[in-house]
């Protein structure tokens, strides 16, 4: 019930996509000969929209840097450092507390080398990291293996050291397909099963699929619904509602044939839809998916729209009117009268859009701003479709059933109340955009308790206004609070009281998508800690067997921003923390852990041989082969024999869904 009520305060929300195997960065490699005895090893990347590839030398405390690594350089040696080439973006990241450099769309990395022998044998790779707004890849590699004749004419003798990796093939078939000569990664798989018959590394991809429901993109449905609500709210403003009876009457008087009048009114409604959907399409074409993703964290963009929404709110409060030049609407109106047919009806609809702009403009602005930061290329179009449908419905219905006009409420002071309430909501959303800019630059001026304090004031004043204890310039002096206003005022004041405990660290799940993260809270009485006791898969599974508990495997990374967001926003919830600490053995596997393995491990994956050299390589390989994913964060619930207990989860700050996920695993384990 609480979330249903809050939806009317917040016009848009989205659900994160289900994590899966992705390949957003595609590399081509080449060896380009230069003058003399020098050459360049070139790694050229094509990056999918919405993803970014990190640059070089970001430091040990940051995400995965692009790094050149040579397995073998026989007859050649490196000259200088790896050089990034392309449009490098530098941006402060609040989670790491440092400036990060990365590329979008395309990038190139060049390593210069010098030949030292007449022949060369090169085996090298570029290690890199990539992220989008919802997930990160583990450390990935782009390889170059090349042999040939170099320009060097005299061979230089150099000592060679060659480390032969332990050649151990890893089983990629299911446990039931094993034979006595099973090829298993013995360095990775421990005999933690007392009978010695269970393989903790056996793939469970098919079993996981039996738990997964078909993914449905609810976010676009929510965006359409948000646009629909925005349209209905716009109907109740004094710029739109009074026009409805006048327009419908015009169509009925224009044609004595009622059927023809209804057809024209329907055409009028369709024209409204076309006009506003065109606006959404223009926003989509101007920005595009990658730009929309970039805008969602761009400080200048967020500050600009924060100020824009404050201006819109001031307009709704009655400080001034935002209107388009009257000459525009007059010219369009004159044109509609001088033309006939469909064009005249379309021009009349366009006149409505211009005349009502002072009321609909702020609502459209809020919708477009919110939707464009979702990173979806369809969001603005779908949102405007919902908005336009809501505006078009009354014109069509009243034209079909003119008697309804008599029972429709007359325009009056209640419309100004709607405008003022929308002004408060615009002001609340403005703080959300300012919060994004504050986090991006690390200013620390809008910490969580400051943000919540301002929302308490905003929604408290809104409740006071609805109760009739606060007046604005456009309010009628004799206006009294009616029954609907009274109940809305109660809801607003109750919501205000609900937020007060957040000043002392209460999770406030209902506004967690809007408020700054918990780690910005200076004064927090809700100290709930969840820390993984194990960072080794086999050790954690052995502990689970000893205590008869299920396991949650957390595939994470030191440089995974969204992993930290989940830990701050979801794991701090008391219910989630209680379940994880008491009911599960939590194993966090860091796929970017640079700790070298005692011995390199050679594995076969997708028909190709590769070498696992670090602990992170090992856990990344486990994630790909066992659960069929390569993004972080990624959560899997297993019994202590390595079999899944529920579906997987990735980045999604829906705490209730996360609790249900954990409980489902417990119930299946107990069965």
């Amino acid at each position: 019930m609480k979330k249903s009520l809050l939806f009317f305060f917040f016009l848009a929300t989205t659900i994160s996509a289900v994590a899966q195997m992705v390949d957003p960065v595609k590399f081509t490699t080449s060896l380009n000969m230069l003058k003399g005895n020098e050459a360049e090893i070139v790694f050229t990347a094509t990056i999918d929209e919405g993803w970014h590839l990190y640059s070089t030398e970001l430091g040990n405390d940051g995400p995965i840097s692009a790094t050149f690594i040579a397995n073998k350089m026989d007859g050649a040696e490196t000259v200088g450092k790896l050089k990034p080439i392309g449009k490098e973006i530098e941006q402060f990241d609040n989670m790491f507390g440092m400036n990060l450099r990365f590329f979008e769309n395309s990038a190139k990395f060049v390593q210069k080398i010098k030949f030292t022998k007449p022949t060369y044998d090169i085996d090298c790779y570029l290690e890199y990291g990539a992220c989008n707004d919802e997930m990160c890849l583990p450390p990935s590699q782009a390889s170059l293996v090349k042999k040939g004749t170099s320009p060097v004419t005299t061979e230089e003798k150099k000592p060679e050291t060659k480390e032969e990796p332990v050649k151990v093939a890893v089983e990629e078939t299911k446990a039931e397909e094993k034979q006595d000569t099973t090829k298993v990664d013995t360095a990775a798989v421990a005999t933690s099963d007392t009978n010695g018959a269970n393989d903790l590394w056996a793939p469970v991809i098919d079993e996981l699929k039996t738990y997964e429901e078909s993914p449905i993109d609810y976010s676009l449905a929510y965006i359409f619904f948000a646009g629909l609500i925005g349209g209905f709210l716009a109907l109740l403003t004094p710029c739109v509602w009074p026009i409805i009876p006048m327009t419908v009457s015009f169509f009925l008087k224009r044609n004595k044939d009622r059927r023809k009048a209804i057809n024209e009114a329907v055409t009028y409604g369709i024209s409204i839809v076309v006009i506003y959907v065109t606006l959404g399409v223009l926003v989509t074409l101007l920005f595009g998916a990658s730009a929309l993703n970039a805008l969602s964290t761009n400080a200048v963009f967020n500050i600009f729209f924060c100020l824009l929404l404050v201006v819109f709110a001031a307009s709704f409060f009655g400080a001034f009117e935002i209107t388009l030049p009257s000459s525009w609407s007059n010219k369009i109106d004159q044109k509609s009268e001088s033309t006939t047919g469909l064009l005249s009806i379309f021009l009349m609809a366009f006149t409505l859009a211009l005349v009502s702009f002072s009321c609909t403009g702020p609502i459209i602005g809020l919708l477009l701003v919110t939707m464009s930061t979702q990173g979806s290329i369809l969001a603005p179009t779908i949102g405007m479709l919902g908005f336009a449908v809501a505006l078009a419905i009354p014109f069509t219905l009243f034209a079909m059933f003119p008697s309804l006009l008599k029972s429709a409420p007359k325009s009056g002071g209640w419309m100004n109340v709607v405008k003022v309430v929308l002004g408060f909501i615009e002001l609340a959303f403005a703080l959300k955009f300012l919060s994004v800019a504050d986090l991006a630059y690390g200013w620390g001026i809008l910490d969580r308790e400051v943000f919540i304090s301002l929302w308490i004031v905003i929604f408290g004043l809104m409740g006071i206004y609805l109760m009739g204890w606060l007046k604005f310039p456009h309010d009628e002096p004799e206006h009294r609070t009616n029954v609907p206003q009274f109940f809305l005022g109660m809801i607003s004041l109750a919501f205000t009281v609900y937020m007060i405990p957040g000043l002392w660290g209460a999770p406030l799940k209902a506004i967690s998508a809007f408020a700054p993260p918990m780690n910005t809270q200076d004064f927090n009485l809700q100290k709930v800690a969840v820390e993984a006791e194990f960072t080794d898969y086999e050790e954690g599974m052995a502990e689970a067997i000893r205590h008869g508990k299920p396991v949650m495997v957390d595939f994470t990374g030191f440089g995974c921003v969204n992993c930290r967001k989940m830990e701050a926003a979801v794991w701090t919830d008391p219910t989630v923390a209680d379940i994880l600490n008491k009911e599960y053995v939590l194993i966090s596997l860091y796929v970017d852990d640079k700790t070298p393995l005692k011995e390199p491990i050679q594995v076969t994956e997708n028909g190709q041989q590769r070498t696992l050299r670090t602990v992170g390589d090992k856990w990344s390989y486990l994630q790909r082969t066992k659960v069929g994913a390569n993004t972080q964060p990624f959560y899997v619930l297993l019994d202590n024999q390595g079999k899944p207990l529920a579906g997987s989860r990735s980045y999604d700050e829906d705490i209730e869904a996360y609790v249900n996920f954990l409980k489902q695993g417990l119930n299946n384990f107990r069965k």
Side-chain angles (χ1 to χ4, degrees):
M1 179 63 180
K2 176 171 61 179
K3 290 186 176 180
S4 298
L5 295 174
L6 288 173
F7 182 82
F8 292 96
F9 290 123
F10 311 126
L11 300 178
T13 184
T14 56
I15 296 177
S16 299
V18 178
Q20 54 186 345
M21 290 292 287
V22 295
D23 184 21
V25 183
K26 298 172 181 64
F27 269 97
T28 58
T29 58
S30 62
L31 178 64
N32 301 336
M33 297 297 179
L34 302 176
K35 293 181 180 179
N37 63 342
E38 292 186 337
E40 288 181 340
I41 299 174
V42 181
F43 302 90
T44 305
T46 301
I47 309 166
D48 288 353
E49 290 186 349
W51 286 80
H52 53 265
L53 174 68
Y54 289 110
S55 187
T56 58
E57 298 182 333
L58 298 180
N60 295 329
D61 297 329
I64 302 162
S65 304
T67 308
F68 178 81
I69 299 174
N71 297 329
K72 185 178 183 181
M73 293 287 283
D74 186 12
E77 61 184 22
T78 59
V79 177
K81 297 181 179 180
L82 181 68
K83 182 180 179 181
I85 299 175
K87 186 179 179 181
E88 190 177 67
I89 301 170
E90 184 170 352
Q91 183 174 302
F92 184 85
D93 188 281
N94 188 64
M95 185 65 66
F96 290 105
M98 61 187 295
N99 284 321
L100 297 182
R101 293 175 286 106
F102 55 88
F103 296 92
E104 295 179 345
N105 301 320
S106 63
K108 186 181 291 186
F109 298 92
V110 176
Q111 176 64 59
K112 183 178 286 189
I113 63 171
K114 181 175 68 175
F115 296 112
T116 58
K117 296 180 181 179
T119 60
Y120 63 86
D121 185 356
I122 299 173
D123 180 2
C124 61
Y125 64 92
L126 176 78
E127 184 177 71
Y128 63 92
C131 292
N132 66 4
D133 288 338
E134 294 185 356
M135 60 188 71
C136 291
L137 293 181
S140 304
Q141 299 175 1
S143 301
L144 174 76
V145 178
K146 200 84 169 177
K147 295 181 180 180
T149 303
S150 73
V152 177
T153 56
T154 58
E155 183 175 348
E156 300 179 15
K157 299 292 183 180
K158 289 186 176 286
E160 291 184 18
T161 58
K162 183 167 67 176
E163 181 181 12
E164 287 292 337
V166 179
K167 295 185 178 180
V168 185
V170 179
E171 179 189 30
E172 297 189 57
T173 58
K174 295 182 181 179
E176 59 267 22
E177 297 172 346
K178 293 191 297 180
Q179 300 176 355
D180 293 338
T181 58
T182 302
K183 297 179 180 180
V184 181
D185 176 0
T186 54
V189 181
T191 56
S192 53
D193 179 49
T194 53
N195 298 322
N198 186 56
D199 181 6
L200 296 176
W201 281 63
V204 293
I205 300 171
D206 292 337
E207 290 93 325
L208 278 173
K209 289 180 180 178
T210 62
Y211 289 101
E212 304 285 358
E213 298 179 358
S214 299
I216 301 174
D217 189 359
Y218 289 104
S219 59
L220 291 180
Y222 277 123
I223 288 171
F224 175 81
F225 190 47
L228 202 67
I229 290 180
F232 283 130
L233 289 173
L235 277 174
L236 302 178
T237 60
C239 308
V240 180
W241 187 260
I243 300 177
I244 296 174
M246 290 188 296
T247 306
V248 173
S249 299
F250 169 79
F251 282 116
L252 293 176
K253 291 176 181 179
R254 174 173 168 171
N255 296 286
K256 295 181 180 180
D257 185 350
R258 184 167 176 271
R259 178 174 294 180
K260 187 176 180 181
I262 292 174
N263 289 338
E264 288 194 349
V266 171
T267 305
Y268 183 72
I270 293 173
S271 299
I272 294 173
V273 173
V274 170
I275 289 169
Y276 284 105
V277 169
T278 301
L279 178 61
V281 171
L282 287 175
V283 171
T284 301
L285 293 176
L286 285 173
F287 294 111
S290 60
L292 292 177
N293 268 310
L295 287 176
S296 65
T297 55
N298 182 275
V300 175
F301 172 88
N302 282 280
I303 292 173
F304 171 76
F305 277 106
C306 168
L307 297 175
L308 182 65
L309 293 181
V310 170
V311 171
F312 283 160
S315 173
F316 274 158
F317 291 151
F320 47 81
E321 289 289 338
I322 301 175
T323 57
L324 294 175
S326 58
S327 59
W328 293 11
S329 57
N330 291 337
K331 288 180 180 179
I332 298 295
D333 191 37
Q334 291 170 7
K335 191 69 176 176
S336 66
E337 291 178 359
S338 62
T339 56
T340 57
L342 294 178
L343 180 58
S344 66
I345 297 174
F346 181 83
L347 291 174
M348 288 178 62
F350 200 72
T351 303
L352 168 69
L354 294 177
V355 170
S356 62
F357 178 79
S358 62
C359 293
T360 60
I363 301 173
I364 293 171
L366 175 59
L367 288 172
L368 286 177
V369 170
T370 306
M371 292 164 191
S372 61
T373 58
Q374 302 302 324
S376 169
I377 195 168
L378 290 176
T381 304
I382 297 299
M384 284 299 97
L385 175 62
F387 182 86
V389 166
L391 279 184
I393 284 175
F395 290 97
T396 306
L397 287 179
F398 286 135
M400 290 180 176
F401 309 102
S403 58
L404 291 177
L405 281 171
K406 297 179 181 179
S407 58
K410 305 299 180 183
S411 58
W414 62 272
M415 291 185 174
N416 189 63
V417 173
V418 173
K419 284 183 65 176
V420 172
V421 169
L422 288 174
F424 280 113
I425 295 175
E426 297 260 0
L427 203 57
F429 268 89
L431 289 175
K432 169 58 180 172
F433 289 104
L434 179 60
S435 172
V436 173
D438 178 60
L439 292 172
Y441 277 88
W443 297 328
I445 61 175
L446 202 61
D447 291 346
R448 186 173 183 269
E449 61 265 46
V450 177
F451 181 94
I452 292 173
S453 298
L454 291 171
W455 268 39
I456 289 172
V457 172
I458 289 171
F459 287 98
L461 288 174
M462 189 170 88
I464 292 172
Y465 172 78
L466 288 169
M467 290 295 184
W469 303 330
L470 180 65
K471 298 289 185 182
F472 283 93
H474 289 175
D475 288 318
E476 299 174 358
E478 68 280 2
H479 179 71
R480 293 184 178 181
T481 301
N482 55 36
V483 174
Q485 281 183 228
F486 175 76
F487 283 110
L488 287 174
M490 284 184 59
I491 293 171
S492 183
L493 292 174
F495 179 54
T496 301
V497 174
Y498 162 79
M499 290 190 288
I500 292 175
L503 298 174
W504 292 275
L508 301 184
K509 302 174 187 177
I511 66 169
S512 60
F514 302 93
M518 188 69 75
N519 59 17
T520 65
Q521 181 97 15
D522 294 327
F523 184 60
N524 188 358
L525 298 180
Q526 307 292 323
K527 292 295 183 183
V528 181
V530 176
E531 294 184 7
E533 186 178 353
F534 298 95
T535 55
D536 182 277
Y537 179 59
E538 289 79 18
E539 290 179 5
M541 295 300 288
E543 177 75 5
I545 291 174
R546 283 193 294 271
H547 294 278
K549 287 184 175 183
V551 171
M552 186 174 91
V553 180
D554 163 34
F555 290 100
T556 183
F558 295 115
C560 174
V561 175
N562 289 318
C563 302
R564 305 294 87 77
K565 289 181 181 178
M566 286 292 291
E567 292 159 11
V570 179
W571 285 13
T572 54
D573 176 77
T575 304
V576 173
D578 189 63
I579 295 175
L580 286 177
N581 287 331
K582 295 180 180 179
E583 305 292 344
Y584 281 92
V585 173
L586 177 59
I587 307 173
S588 289
L589 304 179
Y590 290 85
V591 299
D592 54 0
D593 190 336
K594 300 294 186 182
T595 304
L597 294 170
K598 292 181 179 179
E599 291 183 317
I601 305 168
Q602 194 171 81
V603 299
T604 302
E605 184 178 7
N606 299 325
Q608 296 183 348
Q609 282 196 342
R610 61 173 300 178
T611 303
L612 309 181
R613 298 178 176 83
T614 67
V615 172
D617 289 344
K618 180 179 174 181
W619 302 142
S620 180
Y621 180 78
L622 172 66
Q623 184 184 8
R624 294 194 305 273
T625 57
K626 186 172 181 66
V627 299
N630 65 344
T631 59
Q632 294 79 46
F634 195 82
Y635 309 103
V636 183
L637 304 180
L638 304 175
D639 62 17
N640 46 37
Q641 306 300 312
K643 299 298 180 183
L645 298 170
S648 60
R649 284 190 72 81
S650 56
Y651 176 71
D652 185 352
E653 294 186 22
D654 186 340
I655 296 176
E656 183 178 354
Y658 203 88
V659 170
N660 292 335
F661 165 68
L662 295 176
K663 288 182 177 179
Q664 181 188 9
L666 282 177
N667 292 336
N668 290 334
F669 180 76
R670 290 164 182 164
K671 290 177 184 178

